[in-house]
Amino acid sequence: AQLWDPCFQDRFRAVSWSFYRDASAVILAFAVDSRSSFDGLKSHWIMDALMRTPPSRRFVLVGLKCDVSQSLREVTKQEARLLAAELG
């Protein structure tokens, strides 16, 4: 097994195809206190993974920093659950 962590930085987008080649699973992580990390998944990284992985691949959606206070949370549990459902 190999794990690649591009930290969702745009400078890795050019070589992202190599991350996904023959992948059986894609772990997508976002910080619940960062709207931009969640939106970045939806606008860039999920589409890249869908286009570059075999149809049999699985997605795992991981919310980080779940221990932050509710007032600091920028991504709701409902939003994350909805995206997870969309990803299967």
Side-chain angles (χ1 to χ4, degrees):
Q2 293 183 19
L3 283 174
W4 293 84
D5 180 8
C7 301
F8 298 115
Q9 296 178 20
D10 285 335
R11 64 184 170 153
F12 292 111
R13 287 178 57 98
V15 295
S16 65
W17 63 270
S18 65
F19 300 151
Y20 300 125
R21 185 181 37 222
D22 298 325
S24 57
V26 178
I27 300 171
L28 300 163
F30 68 95
V32 300
D33 65 343
S34 172
R35 168 59 57 186
S36 63
S37 71
F38 187 74
D39 290 345
L41 284 181
K42 293 171 32 176
S43 64
H44 299 297
W45 296 99
I46 290 172
M47 293 307 299
D48 279 355
L50 286 170
M51 291 187 309
R52 299 167 196 254
T53 56
S56 60
R57 54 72 190 94
R58 301 278 187 197
F59 284 107
V60 178
L61 184 64
V62 179
L64 306 173
K65 301 183 182 179
C66 291
D67 58 337
V68 300
S69 69
Q70 196 65 23
S71 63
L72 296 176
R73 183 181 278 268
E74 295 183 6
V75 180
T76 67
K77 291 178 183 178
Q78 182 62 26
E79 288 175 290
R81 286 185 182 124
L82 182 60
L83 180 57
E86 289 173 13
L87 293 171

